[in-house]
């Protein structure tokens, strides 16, 4: 008698199944669609790599030519190496981003020629009225 008092009621722990009148009727429409599948480059990755290469080119040019110790004939000022690096980085980062974008665009055009058609099964589910 003590065993039956400590066991939980099984009917209260399991959820009740919905009745046929309360359950909504779901209708699934099925159709075949032809789509083009192709690979496409990620433009942000190419442009980011172009910016990194532009920074590296600016760094190499800053330390390859030691022109910062002389007075500039145009402005009459002496620029430090960090200022020269900043000027070159402004130019070459923009150039690198543009070149990376153009390379991604060219790859996108080449990959679009290799696109293929695939038949896809499209299913749409909605409630019946």
């Amino acid at each position: 008698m003590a065993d039956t008092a400590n066991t939980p009621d099984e009917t209260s722990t399991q959820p009740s199944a919905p009745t046929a009148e309360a359950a909504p009727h779901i209708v699934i429409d099925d159709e075949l669609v032809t789509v083009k599948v192709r690979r496409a480059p990620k433009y942000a990755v190419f442009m980011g790599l172009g910016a990194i290469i532009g920074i590296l080119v600016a760094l190499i040019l800053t330390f390859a030519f030691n022109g910062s110790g002389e007075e500039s004939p145009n402005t009459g000022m002496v620029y430090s190496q960090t200022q020269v690096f900043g000027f070159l980085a402004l130019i070459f980062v923009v150039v690198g981003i543009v070149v990376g974008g153009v390379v991604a665009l060219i790859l996108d055009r080449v990959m679009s020629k290799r696109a293929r058609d695939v038949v896809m099964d499209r299913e749409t589910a909605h409630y019946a009225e």
Side-chain angles (χ1 to χ4, degrees):
M1 184 127 184
D3 291 334
T4 58
N6 292 332
T7 58
D9 186 15
E10 290 181 12
T11 58
S12 65
T13 58
Q14 295 183 5
S16 62
T19 61
E21 295 97 26
H25 297 284
I26 298 175
V27 178
I28 298 176
D29 294 333
D30 196 14
E31 65 178 312
L32 295 176
V33 179
T34 302
V35 295
K36 284 193 177 288
V37 177
R38 67 181 180 96
R39 295 180 60 133
K42 294 185 178 183
Y43 286 88
V45 172
F46 278 88
M47 294 167 77
L49 285 174
I52 291 171
I53 290 172
I55 289 174
L56 291 175
V57 168
L59 189 67
I60 290 170
L61 288 177
T62 299
F63 292 110
F65 303 106
N66 191 13
S68 62
E70 304 167 357
E71 184 177 302
S72 172
N74 297 329
T75 60
M77 296 180 64
V78 177
Y79 296 106
S80 68
Q81 279 191 329
T82 54
Q83 288 174 324
V84 171
F85 173 72
F87 295 145
L88 291 176
L90 283 174
I91 294 168
F92 285 109
V93 166
V94 172
V95 170
I97 289 173
V98 169
V99 169
V102 169
V103 168
L105 191 64
I106 290 171
L107 282 176
D108 189 30
R109 298 286 185 224
V110 169
M111 292 296 173
S112 68
K113 293 178 183 176
R114 297 183 185 176
R116 55 190 176 127
D117 292 335
V118 176
V119 178
M120 180 181 75
D121 186 17
R122 180 179 179 184
E123 293 182 353
T124 306
H126 56 87
Y127 292 109
E129 296 179 11

